[in-house]
């Protein structure tokens, strides 16, 4: 008996995630083995999220899929998601993550097995028929059929013009067609070279049969190769492949992944100058940054941001799918690079069906080309070539690379001798490590911060010169008797005083060595930033940047590092406008370099910018990128990587990825535990971050114990007034808030605000955020007047620094509106409530009831202006949401909702 599904059937799956199980064929949800009653719309939302697990599904896609164009009320989607979360239970509900202003994502591993097959109807298309809704075109040849689509070549009855029509059989493929049309428009608007891609001429999404109308770009590469490839020599094949890789690089440059690169999706046609390749079929494609649509004036309807698990693993030939996709990771640029590497091998070998098998190098016969293929198809994406552009560059510079390889072979011995000399020089100063151990991060990592991109010989010489200069500076100016602080205080001189006394000597000592002086200033900037002397750190970073730009040029790696450090210092002091200008320069200068070190600098700087603006969802991918780039460029840079990992843990906790945050934090603790050669201070930071996840999970006693344990090390090493201890104290404040222990919360909020105000000044964004917390503590303690004063002051400052949709700004506006309503400032409250977005507030502080809280405020405002019908509707929705959220009945706004509901009943 043949058990294979018919090609005309749609496969339905049974999904398992956490303790939940969803049978798509029965449309049944079970949690912990028990069936759960939930309305169909919520289950349809779940089905869509599961089909695209791991990626954002836009609100527009969910409306198109679940409500199919029906008129809906504003809250229908968040209400469906809220019902779904309640049905899943607390642990599973964490997997549904809100992406502010965009949509939702289902995170974590998902198991999938086939449940059944659903019949799919076919179009009755035949050669000689006119194209539906295009009466002048006649179907000439069926180019392909799948379970849900048909592709036809057609010609104009009079002119003979050729078109390709891609039909959706029954509408199920309509989202994919819309996705392809949207991506085609992005490519058309964003890529100046018009010849890279198959032309999109028109589309029909209004009535069935739905279709795309495309230009005819020739035969697909697979068919073409059977009669033309053999006539091309190696250089001609490489030239043809470079057309393909340039198209992919152009798509990546505007944020588009193809995700289904294979010979069948490359079209070849003869032009006057020879063979011309175009890239087609972006139906599985993905847009990495949906905001580019707004910049290009393209609507988001049908945007293909989502990830279809089945498509990732089975659309096209599995041969071209990168190994990490099979392991369940998200598609990335490196996935397309993997497919390109295999395609390069196949074109050069002449066998477009052949996989990379043992001995494949014999088919190529060129060491550099083998190295290129190997780099592009590396199994670990972190070790794979970073981009299609990098692969193209390697192929175009083969001749120069061959000459460089020979030159390098001749220089290796000489470079080794000079590196040995460097090692001997360093060995002569072993006591410096003991005397300046705290400088390890800033000075011991010189090879990471200031390594040259030139050849090995010059790099070794320059590093030797710098190391000797640094040794002299450390020995004589910083910890030697030339520093008057050392002369006066000896071993009792504090690091802060040593640095401040020595920094002015750098310019005088190295006036004739600008590169070495720049290195000193950059190291001092790092150290001053670490001990939070921010004005001095900014001065040192600016001086280092100025010197590197003068000596090496703004696009040198040293100058890019100095600019990246300056951005991080500026964001810590809330100078966001200045930081953004420097970031834009960094982007522009970094665009000319395609290496892991540059990607690290750019990603880390943008990550710090978003992090300090509380734009956590934007910061998260930047930190992931920075960590990956650091692993690729400097695998031994443990201190820098752990610092980035710590920020990543805090980010994951902020965006509600509690389980992942805890896993990453506990791994960081293990890596830095005492006795493992790690860093006990970093372990303490990680413990505080893990404790934050316990607070989010309601494990308050465990969280408090872990915070107090971490605090011992932090205070002992850094002091009570260091920002790390203030952050930890703020975590203790959050525990007091969760316990409704308002006297304790008020005490801690005062301590945190006073500490940050003294440390960074009253105008810093962090200081203003802690002022919001202080106002909230006053409010919950019953002092509405003090709360109103502090919240109004905090919001005025945040509004001057942050955009209206910033989570911290909206958080402050929400609580001020709540206080204004309580004190009778109705007009001010109405103005504050109007732009508030529950999704933005959920992104900052996930609790599942922000929409309900907002409904309560809006109901109070409606009741005040006499619109009782609107007030009843809003308070009814709020009461239902509070009732469905465990523990929400004690929330201040649940109490308000109950009182308002009773009042409106009496009015009736």
């Amino acid at each position: 008996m043949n058990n294979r599904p018919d090609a005309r059937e749609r496969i339905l799956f049974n999904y398992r995630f956490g303790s939940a199980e969803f049978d798509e064929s029965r449309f049944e949800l079970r949690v912990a083995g028990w069936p759960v009653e939930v309305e169909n719309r919520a289950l349809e939302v779940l089905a869509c999220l599961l089909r695209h697990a791991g990626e954002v599904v836009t609100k527009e896609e969910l409306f198109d899929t679940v409500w199919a164009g029906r008129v809906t009320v504003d809250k229908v989607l968040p209400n469906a998601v809220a019902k779904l979360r309640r049905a899943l239970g607390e642990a599973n509900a964490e997997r549904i993550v809100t992406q502010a202003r965009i949509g939702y994502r289902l995170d974590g591993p998902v198991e999938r097995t086939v449940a059944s097959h659903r019949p799919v109807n076919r179009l009755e298309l035949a050669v000689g028929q006119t194209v539906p809704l295009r009466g002048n075109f006649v179907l000439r040849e069926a180019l392909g059929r799948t379970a849900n689509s048909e592709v036809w070549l057609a010609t104009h009855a009079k002119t003979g013009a050729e078109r390709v029509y891609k039909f959706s059989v029954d509408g199920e493929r309509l989202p994919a067609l819309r996705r392809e049309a949207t991506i085609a428009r992005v490519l058309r608007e964003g890529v100046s070279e018009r010849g890279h891609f198959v032309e999109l001429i028109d589309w029909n999404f209004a009535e069935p049969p739905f279709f795309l109308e495309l230009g005819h770009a020739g035969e697909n590469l697979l068919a073409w190769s059977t009669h033309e490839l053999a006539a091309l020599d190696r250089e001609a094949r490489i030239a043809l492949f470079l057309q393909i890789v340039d198209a992919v690089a152009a798509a990546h440059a505007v944020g588009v992944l193809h995700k289904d690169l294979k010979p069948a999706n490359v079209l070849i046609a003869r032009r006057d100058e020879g063979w011309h390749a175009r890239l087609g079929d972006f139906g599985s494609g993905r847009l990495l940054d949906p905001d580019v649509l707004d910049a290009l004036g393209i609507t988001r309807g049908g945007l293909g941001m989502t990830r279809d698990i089945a498509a990732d693993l089975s659309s096209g030939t599995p041969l071209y799918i990168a190994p990490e996709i099979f392991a369940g990771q998200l598609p990335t640029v490196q996935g397309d690079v993997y497919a390109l590497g295999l395609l390069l091998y196949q074109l050069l070998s002449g066998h477009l069906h052949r996989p990379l098998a043992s001995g494949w190098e014999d088919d190529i016969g060129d060491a550099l080309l083998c190295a290129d293929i190997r780099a592009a198809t590396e199994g670990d994406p972190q070790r794979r070539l970073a981009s299609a552009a990098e692969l193209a560059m390697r192929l175009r510079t083969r001749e120069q690379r061959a000459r460089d390889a020979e030159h390098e072979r001749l220089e290796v011995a000489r470079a080794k001798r000079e590196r040995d000399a460097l090692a001997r020089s360093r060995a002569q100063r072993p006591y410096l490590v003991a005397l300046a151990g705290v400088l390890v991060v800033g000075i011991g990592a010189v090879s990471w911060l200031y390594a040259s991109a030139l050849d090995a010989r010059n790099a070794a010489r320059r590093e030797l010169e710098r190391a000797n200069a640094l040794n002299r500076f450390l020995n004589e100016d910083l910890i030697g008797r030339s520093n008057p602080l050392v002369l006066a205080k000896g071993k009792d001189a504090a690091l802060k005083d040593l640095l401040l006394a020595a920094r002015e000597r750098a310019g005088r000592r190295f006036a004739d060595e600008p590169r070495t002086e720049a290195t000193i200033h950059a190291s001092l900037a790092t150290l001053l930033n670490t001990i939070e002397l921010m004005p001095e750190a900014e001065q040192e970073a600016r001086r280092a940047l100025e010197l590197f730009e003068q000596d090496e040029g703004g696009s040198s790696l040293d100058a890019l590092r100095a600019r990246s450090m300056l951005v991080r210092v500026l964001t810590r002091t809330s100078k966001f406008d200045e930081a953004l200008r420097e970031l834009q320069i960094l982007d522009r200068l970094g665009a000319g370099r395609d290496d892991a070190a540059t990607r690290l600098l750019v990603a880390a700087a943008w990550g710090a910018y978003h992090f300090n603006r509380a734009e956590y969802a934007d910061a998260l991918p930047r930190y992931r990128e920075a960590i990956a780039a650091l692993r690729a460029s400097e695998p031994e840079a443990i201190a820098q990587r752990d610092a980035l990992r710590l920020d990543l843990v805090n980010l994951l906790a902020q965006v509600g990825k509690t389980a992942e945050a805890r896993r990453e934090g506990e791994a960081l603790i293990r890596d830095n535990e005492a006795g493992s050669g790690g860093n006990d201070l970093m372990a303490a930071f990680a413990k505080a971050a893990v404790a934050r996840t316990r607070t989010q999970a309601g494990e308050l006693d465990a969280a408090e114990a872990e915070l107090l344990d971490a605090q011992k090390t932090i205070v002992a090493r850094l002091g009570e007034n260091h920002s790390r201890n203030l952050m930890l104290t703020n975590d203790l404040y959050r525990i007091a808030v969760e316990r409704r222990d308002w006297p304790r919360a008020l005490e801690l909020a005062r301590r945190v605000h006073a500490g940050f105000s003294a440390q960074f000044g009253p105008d810093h964004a962090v200081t203003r955020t802690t002022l919001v917390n202080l106002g909230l503590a006053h409010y919950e303690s019953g002092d509405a007047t003090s709360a109103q004063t502090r919240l109004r002051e905090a919001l005025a400052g945040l509004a001057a620094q942050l955009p209206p949709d910033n989570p911290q700004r909206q958080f402050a506006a929400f609580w001020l509106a709540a206080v204004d309503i309580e004190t009778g400032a109705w007009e001010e409250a109405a103005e504050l409530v109007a732009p508030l977005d529950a999704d933005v507030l959920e992104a900052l502080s996930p609790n599942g009831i922000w929409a309900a809280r907002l409904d309560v405020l809006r109901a109070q405002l409606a009741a005040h202006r006499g619109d009782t019908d609107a007030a009843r509707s809003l308070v009814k929705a709020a009461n239902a949401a509070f009732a469905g959220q465990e523990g929400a009945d004690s929330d201040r706004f649940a109490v308000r909702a109950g009182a308002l509901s009773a009042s409106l009943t009496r009015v009736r």
Side-chain angles (χ1 to χ4, degrees), residues 372-385:
D372 294 338
I373 294 169
R374 194 176 296 112
T377 57
E378 169 64 50
D380 182 354
Q382 301 302 330
R383 297 168 57 190
R384 195 177 304 152
L385 289 182

Side-chain angles (χ1 to χ4, degrees), residues 101 571 576 607-619 651 654-655 765-766 769 798 802-803 805-811 840 843-845:
R101 305 182 305 281
T571 61
F576 296 121
Y609 174 79
H610 289 306
F611 202 158
N612 284 289
R613 284 168 59 91
E615 296 165 346
Y616 303 122
D618 293 325
L651 275 172
Q654 285 288 354
V655 300
V766 173
T769 299
L798 291 172
L802 303 172
D805 60 351
N806 178 271
Q808 293 286 10
R809 178 172 167 179
Q810 291 221 354
F811 185 81
V840 174
L844 177 68
S845 178

Side-chain angles (χ1 to χ4, degrees), residues 156-201:
H156 194 280
K158 294 181 179 180
T159 66
E162 294 180 320
R163 295 282 191 273
V164 172
Y165 290 89
K166 184 176 292 188
F167 294 97
S168 171
V169 175
D170 64 351
E172 279 201 29
R173 288 281 296 167
L174 181 56
L177 292 184
R178 287 186 171 178
R179 178 164 52 245
E180 187 168 359
T182 301
I183 288 177
R185 294 181 64 194
V186 170
L187 295 173
R188 184 173 63 199
E189 298 295 329
V191 178
S192 57
E193 172 55 54
R194 298 297 184 188
H196 284 318
F197 310 107
V198 174
E199 180 187 8
L200 173 67
I201 297 172

Side-chain angles (χ1 to χ4, degrees), residues 11 52 132 141 162 194 217 219 247 529 545 547 603 628 700 728 802:
I11 300 175
H52 305 291
E141 178 186 354
E162 294 180 320
R194 298 297 184 188
E219 282 187 289
N529 180 54
L545 176 59
L547 290 169
L700 302 183
L728 186 148
L802 303 172

